[in-house]
Amino acid sequence: MASAETERGAPFSLDSYYVSEELGFVLPDPLENLPPYYQPWMEIALHVPELVDSHDLRSHINKMPLLSTEFLQNHRELRLAHLVLSMVTMGYVWQEGENDTVEMLPRNLAVPYWEVSQRLGLPSILTHADAALANWRKKDPEGPFELENLEVLVRLPGGDSVKGFFLVTLLVELAGVPAIRSIPAVINGVRCGDTEAVTKALENIGQSIQDMNDALKLMHVYVDPSVFYGVMRIFLSGWKDNPCMPKGLIYEGVQTEPVEFSGGSAAQSSLLHCFDELLGVKHEEKSRAFLTRMRNYMPPAHRKLIQDISLQPSLRGFVQQQANEGLSKAFDDCVSKLLALRSYHINVVTRFITVPAAKARQLRKNSHESDGEIVSRAPTSLEERGTGGSGIMTFLKTVRDTTKDVLLHEARKETVHENCHQ
């Protein structure tokens, strides 16, 4: 794979990073089935919600044959295998909620899962790259990328809300595709001093980030906060920084010591990391450490793209040096749109985690009233944490506030500060 440091004269391109011209980081045309040999995996994966509901998933997995991974021939087969084994693993670990977790993943699941993960360069846990980027199909192949024309391949407990959560996240990723496509134009424009090209590309990126924000608003339409908090959330949680599983998880037949992996998180989206590196956002130490760790949960080629963007000449420095009003405005508008997206994400987290957590606490105080309330099923130990293991509100607000620091004009900083804290 070409590096940003080789062939310095060559224009920066997305060609070597497995980024689709049409779909960006989304996996094009995911397979819907594995070769017949792997049907024991598929049969369980397609019925995870029902098997969790009947408390039979673990017994089904324990009877599953130990299959070789040698018949998985290509990238799309490996991605579907990883998605399928991830969903099955999350169901196995969290079948009984926070009170009866497991210490060991059985060999017949752990060994092939680990092997598939190693081949892909992904961890052996459900990631954003699985649940959002590789878990979709169009009902009408010729139809539009709209939620009504999309279906997930496999799902966790949570009914229509879990489907909505994964597919809205997919639509947010797709809304960011024009931004990703414009990044080479920014980098190449900075390299050769083309102010006009950089300005136009930044305008495209800003519009694309706005479209991501608009797509994220669909979360309120398609996902029930009570179902997300009370049913789905534990199945998205990992075994790192999680009081429910303080020791992590042993993968039988792979390692004798427990391993810790974080659950799925928006911080695993390569889009936001690309924007931060391009715009020169410097997060404070604790946030930076978490975000850097989240890059290990991305496909290696996407991780490499983020790293290579970070090695390019400073865009912000170029904008300051050019002292061009149109360019400066395009840069600040881009940062402002990213700030607005991060502020809106805080709004979503408030509605889907903070408010239901407060309601669950209140119901526990009046325990006789909690019968039948979905939010009451949620694990108490995760009330203040994201599924990735972060102290979620502090983290999100810190990340938003450090984004504001790259704005060039003080007046705009004040305006954005007011908007962000209303």
Side-chain angles (χ1 to χ4, degrees):
M1 190 175 295
S3 163
E5 303 226 71
T6 59
E7 303 179 53
R8 277 221 172 264
F12 190 89
S13 157
L14 298 175
D15 291 349
S16 62
Y17 300 104
Y18 296 100
V19 176
S20 158
E21 182 74 15
E22 183 192 359
L23 304 180
F25 295 118
V26 173
L27 180 69
D29 300 317
L31 293 179
E32 294 179 36
N33 215 334
L34 289 170
Y37 174 75
Y38 297 104
Q39 283 315 292
W41 295 353
M42 292 301 303
E43 283 167 15
I44 293 177
L46 293 172
H47 298 96
V48 167
E50 301 95 311
L51 291 170
V52 166
D53 196 45
S54 64
H55 301 272
D56 290 329
L57 181 63
R58 287 179 184 168
S59 62
H60 274 68
I61 289 168
N62 289 332
K63 295 178 211 159
M64 196 171 71
L66 173 56
L67 301 180
S68 167
T69 57
E70 66 178 314
F71 306 114
L72 297 166
Q73 298 292 326
N74 57 54
H75 184 75
R76 288 198 302 157
E77 286 185 357
L78 287 166
R79 288 291 289 275
L80 179 56
H82 197 273
L83 169 65
V84 160
L85 295 173
S86 295
M87 292 289 192
V88 169
T89 295
M90 299 317 254
Y92 187 91
V93 170
W94 299 116
Q95 174 179 294
E96 304 301 329
E98 66 180 323
N99 297 319
D100 183 18
T101 54
V102 294
E103 294 185 358
M104 182 182 291
L105 205 62
R107 179 188 306 269
N108 53 352
L109 175 53
V111 170
Y113 190 20
W114 195 270
E115 289 173 357
V116 168
S117 302
Q118 292 295 303
R119 286 172 68 181
L120 286 170
L122 289 170
S124 296
I125 194 169
L126 183 70
T127 68
H128 176 82
D130 301 303
L133 305 184
N135 188 23
W136 65 274
R137 67 174 180 85
K138 282 185 175 180
K139 295 174 186 174
D140 172 7
E142 303 306 315
F145 265 108
E146 291 173 1
L147 213 131
E148 286 70 20
N149 191 42
L150 291 168
E151 187 53 86
V152 291
L153 303 178
V154 285
R155 61 174 77 192
L156 292 166
D160 286 343
S161 284
V162 84
K163 171 186 164 183
F165 180 73
F166 291 150
L167 292 179
V168 169
T169 307
L170 169 72
L171 292 178
V172 174
E173 285 280 340
L174 291 171
V177 172
I180 294 301
R181 280 207 303 255
S182 297
I183 286 175
V186 171
I187 290 170
N188 294 322
V190 169
R191 284 182 183 176
C192 63
D194 188 340
T195 302
E196 190 177 337
V198 175
T199 303
K200 187 172 188 315
L202 283 173
E203 287 169 353
N204 291 340
I205 291 171
Q207 182 57 54
S208 185
I209 296 173
Q210 173 67 55
D211 293 341
M212 289 171 65
N213 203 344
D214 291 341
L216 184 58
K217 290 174 182 174
L218 294 172
M219 207 62 87
H220 298 300
V221 179
Y222 291 100
V223 186
D224 181 328
S226 295
V227 174
F228 176 81
Y229 185 79
V231 178
M232 292 162 49
R233 194 161 167 255
I234 193 169
F235 292 98
L236 302 171
S237 301
W239 26 97
K240 179 176 175 61
D241 302 326
N242 187 340
C244 298
M245 293 182 67
K247 294 179 181 173
L249 183 68
I250 295 171
Y251 290 72
E252 187 185 22
V254 177
Q255 290 178 327
T256 53
E257 293 299 311
V259 182
E260 294 185 324
F261 288 128
S262 297
S265 167
Q268 294 173 6
S269 169
S270 301
L271 278 171
L272 297 169
H273 291 252
C274 285
F275 299 153
D276 281 346
E277 295 297 354
L278 186 73
L279 297 169
V281 177
K282 306 293 182 198
H283 295 293
E284 58 84 39
E285 189 177 356
K286 192 174 177 186
S287 299
R288 186 171 68 245
F290 176 73
L291 288 165
T292 301
R293 186 158 59 77
M294 288 299 100
R295 294 183 184 181
N296 296 327
Y297 293 73
M298 301 172 185
H302 300 168
R303 197 185 313 154
K304 179 79 163 57
L305 172 60
I306 297 162
Q307 176 63 18
D308 286 351
I309 292 171
S310 77
L311 300 173
Q312 302 306 313
S314 165
L315 166 63
R316 189 172 187 272
F318 172 78
V319 175
Q320 288 175 306
Q321 190 179 29
Q322 295 298 304
N324 177 290
E325 188 177 345
L327 176 62
S328 297
K329 181 179 184 304
F331 179 88
D332 271 0
D333 283 353
C334 217
V335 177
S336 297
K337 296 279 173 53
L338 183 57
L339 265 166
L341 178 62
R342 287 188 155 140
S343 291
Y344 192 73
H345 187 209
I346 291 170
N347 175 308
V348 171
V349 169
T350 300
R351 185 167 177 200
F352 284 84
I353 296 178
T354 311
V355 171
K359 184 178 181 186
R361 279 194 294 270
Q362 188 61 40
L363 286 165
R364 275 201 309 279
K365 275 188 196 168
N366 315 324
S367 55
H368 60 283
E369 295 177 20
S370 67
D371 294 345
E373 286 281 358
I374 292 174
V375 291
S376 306
R377 302 182 209 165
T380 56
S381 54
L382 292 177
E383 278 175 357
E384 303 303 327
R385 308 196 75 73
T387 50
S390 62
I392 192 154
M393 271 306 178
T394 304
F395 168 73
L396 291 176
K397 287 177 178 176
T398 304
V399 165
R400 179 195 63 192
D401 292 345
T402 51
T403 305
K404 188 175 59 192
D405 291 340
V406 297
L407 283 165
L408 295 169
H409 291 86
E410 290 302 319
R412 288 195 188 120
K413 284 188 187 182
E414 288 307 312
T415 305
V416 168
H417 179 81
E418 288 165 16
N419 292 339
C420 285
H421 291 84
Q422 280 174 359

